[in-house]
Amino acid sequence: MVQKPVFFEQVKSCILSFHNATDESVTDRTPFLQNLCEALESVLRMGLKCGRRLMKRKDYWDWMKSIPNICEKWKLFVHPSYLESVNSVLKCRSVTTTQGRGRLLIRMLLHSGTLDFPFKLLLTNMHLSTAFYEESESVMGNDILIQIFYSLVSEVCRIPFDLNVENTEFLDETWCLPIFKTFMFVPCKMLGARVETVDGHYLVTEVDPTGVVAEDNQIAVGDILSTMYGCMLHNSGVFLNNLRSIHDGQPVPIGVTKALMSDGHIYPHLRSLLEQHGYINLIAELERTGHVHIVDSSDFFQQKPWCHFRYIGHCEVGSTGGVNMINRSIVSVLSNLTNSAEQTPVHIELGELGVTIWQLQWKDNKVDRGEDPLLRHSYPQISSCGRRTDGTNYFAYIAGEESCTTANHFTCYVFESVNKEEAKRIISGLSLGFDRTHWTL
C-alpha cells in the first residue's frame, strides 16, 4: 500500500509560502510556482496504468483530456472552465507532447481556479480512478489519500493565480519557464527584425537599431517570437510575411519569449537550443549584453545618505548612439567595475538646455559641490538615454562630441541611483529635455 507521499508536504509548503508573503496573487515569477507544479505532476504520475500498446505507460494528460467525454457518457457535470481548458490545450500547436499538454492544462486550471474539479470527480466516482490508476501504487486509487490530496488542491484553488498561459514555448521540456512579455507595436511596413525558424521556434537573429521593435529594447537578438496577432507561432510553420499581409495596416500584437532571465543569464533551454543548432556567436553576444557584474552598492549609499547618485564610468560606443547601445554599454562599464568605493558621488542637474553632473563630497559637516562640473552636455548632444529593466538601478545616456545629428563619435555615461524612482525621474527629465530643446531650436 502506498504511503502518504512527500509531495503532499511540498504542496502544503507552497500554500504556506503564499499566505506568509504579501503578494496578491501567484504569477510566473513567484519562486515556489515551479515546485508546486512539479509536486502536483509527481502525484498525478504515481501509479498510472500502462497503455495497451506495447505496455506503454500513459501520462496524466491521457485521462484528464477524456474527462469531458466521460462526463457526457455518464451524464455527469463537467465544469465549463475545465472543458474550455481541455479544448484550448487540444488546439494549441505550441505543445506537441503529452507531457507538454498536461503541463499546459495544469497551468490553465491553476489560472482559472478549477484544478480541483477532476479530483473531486474521481473522489465521488472511484470506479473512474481504478480505470486510470493502480490502487496499490497511486494516490488517485486510494480512497483516503485522494481525499487528502483533494483537500490540498482545494486550498490551492483558493489562491489567486495570474499566470500567462501563452508562455508555452518550452513546456514540452521543462517547468522552468522563461520570461514572457507582450508588446503592441504601431502599424508599420517593417518591424525591423530578422527571424529564423530553429526547431519550430521563431528566433530573432538580427534587430535593426532604427526599427520599431528596437525601441526601448523591447525585442532583442536571441528573443523568440511566440505569438503574433493572437496566433501561436511555435511549430505552426506559418510565414510571418503572409501573416503580416493579412493584418496589413493594423497594430501588431506580439508575444515574446525573452532570451535572458531576470538575473541577466541566458535561459538554459534556449542556450541548449542555440548550442545544438550552432548559434555560438549569438550565445556570445547574449553573454556580453546580458549578465551584469553587480558590485554591492548598499554600503555606498548608506555611508553617504546625502547622495542619490553615483557616477560609474563611461565607454566609447563608436559612430552610432542609438538606444540599442544603452544596455550593452552599461554591461561594458560594469564589467570593469571592481570596487564601489572608487565611484564618484554626484548631483545630476537637469537644466532647460542641458544636463550638468557635479561631483559631491562631505566637507565641514555639509555637502560641498565642486567648482567645475564633472560632465556637461546640451540636449542636442544627447542621442539616447535609458536604464536597465532587470531590477537594478543603473541608467545611462549617450552623447556625441557635438550635436548628435552631426556627431561621428559617441560616448555612454553610466550612473547608479539610490532607487528605481530616482533613475526613472532622471530618464524622464532627459526625455523632456529633448522636447524642450527641439522646441527652443
Side-chain angles (χ1 to χ4, degrees), residues 182-203:
T182 55
F183 302 104
M184 181 68 75
F185 297 104
V186 297
C188 55
K189 290 294 183 183
M190 299 292 291
L191 288 170
R194 178 184 176 87
V195 179
E196 299 178 14
T197 54
V198 181
D199 197 24
H201 302 278
Y202 286 68
L203 177 70

Side-chain angles (χ1 to χ4, degrees), residues 26-90:
V26 175
T27 69
D28 287 330
R29 304 271 65 84
T30 300
F32 66 75
L33 177 63
Q34 182 177 342
N35 290 337
L36 173 64
C37 292
E38 289 175 347
L40 293 171
E41 183 175 70
S42 296
V43 172
L44 288 171
R45 283 180 169 162
M46 290 179 62
L48 274 168
K49 286 187 174 180
C50 295
R52 294 179 180 178
R53 294 183 180 179
L54 302 177
M55 298 299 289
K56 181 180 179 181
R57 185 175 292 276
K58 293 185 177 182
D59 209 351
Y60 56 91
W61 161 252
D62 293 303
W63 71 263
M64 294 185 79
K65 72 176 180 181
S66 66
I67 289 296
N69 291 334
I70 291 174
C71 289
E72 182 180 2
K73 178 181 178 180
W74 294 92
K75 294 182 171 51
L76 301 173
F77 169 76
V78 57
H79 198 291
S81 293
Y82 186 87
L83 178 61
E84 181 182 359
S85 296
V86 170
N87 288 335
S88 296
V89 174
L90 288 170

Side-chain angles (χ1 to χ4, degrees), residues 187-188 244 247-251:
C188 55
R244 292 291 318 281
H247 300 273
D248 187 35
Q250 300 178 19

Side-chain angles (χ1 to χ4, degrees), residues 334-345:
L334 292 176
S335 297
N336 296 318
L337 180 62
T338 57
N339 190 340
S340 64
E342 298 174 359
Q343 309 313 306
T344 305

Side-chain angles (χ1 to χ4, degrees), residues 387 417 419-429:
R387 65 186 186 93
S417 65
N419 54 46
K420 298 180 183 64
E421 288 68 30
E422 286 293 297
K424 290 179 182 178
R425 181 178 67 82
I426 295 299
I427 295 302
S428 176

